[in-house]
Amino acid sequence: MFWADKIAADAQGYQVVNDSKTPSGRVHVGSLRGVVIHDVIYRALKHAGKPVKFLYGVDDYDALDTVPKYLDQEKFTPYLGFPLCNVPSPEDTASDYAKYFIGEFFETFEYLGIKPETYFLRDLYRTGKLNSYIDTFLKNAHLVREAYKEVSKADRPSNWYPFQVICENCGKIATTVTTDYNGSEVFYTCKPDATDYVKGCGHSGWVSPFDGNGKLPWKVEWVAKWDVLGVTIEMAGKDHSQKGGSRDVANAISRKVLQKQPPFHSPYEFILVNGTKMSSSKGVGSSAQEIAALLPPELLRFLMLRTQPKSVISFAPNYETVTRLFRDYDTLINKYQAYGAELTEELMPLFYAQLGDEIKSFYPFDFRTLISLLQIPRLNIQEEVVQRSKQPLNEYDQQIVNQRIAAAQRWLKDYADEEEKLVLYLEEVPEKANELTAEQVAYLQKLAENLQNISNWEAQELQTLIFSTTKELQTQQANALDLQIQQANAFKALYLSFLNKERGPGAGGLLSYLEKSFVISRLQDVVELNAAKVQV
């Protein structure tokens, strides 16, 4: 059984699935994994006919602790330590910093067909919905301190209270420490040395902790959110799920202070882009918005779902990784069509990758071929797709092809390395084609002869002929090692003759994009250029 269906099968009663994000900067693609995981749990529960609600929270009362490198440092550094909702927006498209960056993220939600009910922490605090929890945790500060000590071995002083005031003097929330509570007001100090990234102003005084004057520490706040929203399911990333970590502390506070069981939880792993765990504030890696601009929505969902949540996803938007993603998706589409729409466990990632509640079949035109075709000069891509398709394309097939053409164009523009780009030399023989060995020249001469007799100018047949021509010449060789090297050299000779470099796309596919007469003529020109090297 698919992991989300197993969770749904075990769930009893009304379910509230919750996830949240601190919008400290441009949201990286790694944050999408949690969103998609929670969305799929929500869909699995609906699929199982169980009552469920999906919530997504914006933790905008958290402090700005770093100014992302892509923002104006002079403008935003004075706001370090402020609640994110009290920091100005980078542009006038939003009312504040938090809404600006979460707005970008919510656009990606819509793109992926994810439609939770959203809420902002500022509203829960300012409307008084968290007042009773603030009072409870302040009155039971000793129990909160015990939970920290027992679970994470973190000592809190006997006068530490779980609340951070927004300083009345300087507006910072990160630098304030609460040391007393009289039942209606807290005593706080805005300490100069409270954090290592910004200094407090030194102000102190008594103030009401209610109606948005401050916030609970996030592990305590987590517990308050669970209870006020009725959360029953909330997963967490590996970094929060370690033994003695954030989730364990929150679970202990829930049991110890509220005497309530925490929501169902299971950890999920990171997404590594180019081998790096990403940070919203540091701008490392690719943003969710950028990857969404590259991949069609079903492919981006599939990227998150084809791997079990507890396994790391390694994603680098290079040729090999991106084309394999499309190939794996198309393999499941073909299996789905072959099975007659039977949803096996293997097909469930495909099912939950859809924006709706059904898999819509289509003719999966190869993404690698599109990348190559787009780089052929003077070629009409639409006509070429129709000509190369093994069946007539209906309106939906064409819609998918157009979507993939756009993705291939974006990949070529923004992600392809120079070595991955196809630069065909159509007007002249490439310079490096004059550097071939005698063995390579003999191979090209034999290949040109064999190509004269081929009737079906298609990638697979051409690939077979390229290999068989290599074997023809290899029969004269006895050393197995020589055979292996010769085959590699044969392909290098082909690529040098058309691309001026030693590597390229599938050789059969490459030749199939070109006119037969041009290919044979080019090979003959290269042989003639290197005529003195041919061994008679």
Side-chain angles (χ1 to χ4, degrees):
M1 184 180 287
F2 187 62
W3 60 266
D5 294 321
K6 177 67 167 61
I7 292 173
D10 293 341
Q12 300 295 321
Y14 184 75
Q15 300 296 316
V16 177
V17 180
N18 184 64
D19 191 17
S20 62
K21 176 65 183 172
T22 299
S24 55
R26 189 167 295 132
V27 183
H28 57 71
V29 70
S31 295
L32 272 180
R33 189 171 199 186
V35 178
V36 172
I37 284 172
H38 287 91
D39 177 63
V40 169
I41 293 171
Y42 167 65
R43 292 189 182 191
L45 284 158
K46 286 207 304 179
H47 192 243
K50 299 189 176 181
V52 59
K53 179 165 62 174
F54 179 21
L55 302 176
Y56 195 87
V58 184
D59 296 338
D60 57 347
Y61 245 42
D62 289 354
L64 178 69
D65 57 7
T66 305
V67 179
K69 62 181 181 180
Y70 44 80
L71 292 182
D72 183 337
Q73 300 293 308
E74 186 175 344
K75 174 181 177 180
F76 287 99
T77 295
Y79 292 97
L80 284 171
F82 278 54
L84 293 167
C85 59
N86 291 350
V87 178
S89 172
E91 297 180 19
D92 59 9
T93 54
S95 61
D96 55 75
Y97 187 100
K99 287 197 172 179
Y100 175 81
F101 283 111
I102 206 64
E104 285 187 356
F105 201 35
F106 284 165
E107 287 176 10
T108 307
F109 280 32
E110 186 174 348
Y111 179 70
L112 294 175
I114 298 171
K115 301 174 182 178
E117 295 179 31
T118 59
Y119 63 92
F120 289 77
L121 260 292
R122 73 179 81 176
D123 297 328
L124 295 186
Y125 280 112
R126 291 171 180 173
T127 60
K129 290 182 179 178
L130 293 178
N131 283 354
S132 64
Y133 296 93
I134 292 169
D135 181 60
T136 296
F137 288 121
L138 286 172
K139 286 177 177 176
N140 293 278
H142 62 292
L143 296 179
V144 177
R145 292 193 291 267
E146 284 179 14
Y148 275 98
K149 176 67 174 176
E150 292 169 3
V151 177
S152 64
K153 312 305 179 189
D155 273 317
R156 295 288 188 275
S158 59
N159 65 343
W160 176 88
Y161 284 78
F163 195 76
Q164 289 179 283
V165 174
I166 298 174
C167 181
E168 302 159 284
N169 181 55
C170 69
K172 298 185 185 75
I173 196 171
T175 52
T176 61
V177 176
T178 297
T179 53
D180 202 359
Y181 178 53
N182 63 17
S184 60
E185 292 183 319
V186 291
F187 184 80
Y188 76 96
T189 303
C190 187
K191 301 184 70 173
D193 60 350
T195 76
D196 58 3
Y197 63 87
V198 68
K199 291 184 177 181
C201 67
H203 179 78
S204 64
W206 289 90
V207 68
S208 167
F210 307 123
D211 300 328
N213 288 337
K215 74 183 293 291
L216 298 162
W218 77 271
K219 295 170 193 174
V220 184
E221 178 183 84
W222 209 355
V223 178
K225 282 198 299 179
W226 291 341
D227 201 58
V228 74
L229 299 171
V231 177
T232 59
I233 297 174
E234 182 167 354
M235 314 281 265
K238 177 185 175 182
D239 49 345
H240 298 316
S241 304
Q242 303 282 7
K243 183 176 174 57
S246 307
R247 181 59 189 248
D248 280 356
V249 172
N251 289 349
I253 293 170
S254 181
R255 295 186 181 104
K256 187 181 284 283
V257 180
L258 300 186
Q259 286 83 51
K260 294 185 178 180
Q261 287 299 316
F264 171 82
H265 162 249
S266 182
Y268 56 85
E269 266 283 6
F270 303 127
I271 295 180
L272 305 181
V273 172
N274 295 321
T276 304
K277 180 180 178 290
M278 294 147 294
S279 162
S280 296
S281 59
K282 294 182 180 178
V284 178
S286 298
S287 76
Q289 198 173 50
E290 289 166 341
I291 296 298
L294 169 65
L295 297 176
E298 294 85 358
L299 271 293
L300 183 47
R301 289 181 65 96
F302 182 65
L303 171 65
M304 307 290 170
L305 296 174
R306 65 175 177 169
T307 304
Q308 288 285 333
K310 291 184 180 180
S311 298
V312 173
I313 294 175
S314 293
F315 180 75
N318 56 35
Y319 180 86
E320 181 182 350
T321 302
V322 171
T323 57
R324 185 171 65 246
L325 177 66
F326 278 87
R327 187 170 67 249
D328 291 348
Y329 186 87
D330 290 350
T331 296
L332 288 188
I333 281 288
N334 288 329
K335 286 186 178 181
Y336 172 73
Q337 293 169 162
Y339 290 156
E342 179 188 350
L343 283 176
T344 63
E345 183 177 351
E346 182 186 17
L347 292 174
M348 293 313 293
L350 179 66
F351 173 73
Y352 284 119
Q354 306 310 302
L355 303 192
D357 293 326
E358 63 174 341
I359 302 172
K360 196 170 180 180
S361 297
F362 63 90
Y363 173 70
F365 196 90
D366 182 58
F367 189 67
R368 294 168 299 179
T369 302
L370 286 176
I371 288 176
S372 298
L373 290 174
L374 282 167
Q375 299 179 82
I376 306 299
R378 302 187 296 274
L379 182 143
N380 185 309
I381 185 69
Q382 297 290 352
E383 290 179 3
E384 194 69 23
V385 166
V386 170
Q387 181 180 332
R388 288 174 175 271
S389 298
K390 296 178 181 178
Q391 63 187 53
L393 301 181
N394 61 35
E395 185 177 345
Y396 186 62
D397 293 334
Q398 190 62 57
Q399 179 182 328
I400 296 296
V401 167
N402 291 341
Q403 190 183 59
R404 293 187 173 197
I405 288 172
Q409 289 171 329
R410 178 61 67 100
W411 181 82
L412 284 166
K413 177 178 177 290
D414 295 338
Y415 296 96
D417 293 335
E418 288 306 311
E419 278 300 308
E420 294 172 322
K421 291 182 180 178
L422 183 64
V423 181
L424 273 166
Y425 283 68
L426 298 179
E427 307 300 332
E428 58 185 12
V429 175
E431 181 181 349
K432 292 183 180 179
N434 193 31
E435 303 172 2
L436 304 184
T437 65
E439 179 191 45
Q440 288 173 317
V441 176
Y443 169 75
L444 294 182
Q445 187 174 42
K446 174 59 69 175
L447 180 62
E449 294 172 7
N450 290 344
L451 287 173
Q452 296 277 9
N453 303 319
I454 193 170
S455 57
N456 188 8
W457 195 260
E458 293 187 357
Q460 188 55 53
E461 189 160 338
L462 288 168
Q463 189 77 1
T464 300
L465 183 64
I466 290 166
F467 274 106
S468 64
T469 302
T470 306
K471 294 181 183 298
E472 264 189 79
L473 296 180
Q474 287 176 353
T475 55
Q476 303 172 11
Q477 302 284 339
N479 188 306
L481 184 60
D482 285 342
L483 303 187
Q484 186 179 5
I485 294 173
Q486 188 185 14
Q487 183 170 305
N489 286 338
F491 279 91
K492 286 180 183 179
L494 261 181
Y495 294 131
L496 288 170
S497 298
F498 293 92
L499 307 177
N500 204 39
K501 56 187 179 184
E502 296 183 349
R503 297 180 181 178
L510 173 65
L511 298 191
S512 75
Y513 308 143
L514 306 170
E515 292 291 333
K516 178 178 179 179
S517 58
F518 170 75
V519 171
I520 293 172
S521 174
R522 170 56 57 85
L523 294 178
Q524 291 171 339
D525 288 345
V526 173
V527 169
E528 185 176 341
L529 189 65
N530 292 273
K533 300 175 185 175
V534 179
Q535 296 177 347
V536 182

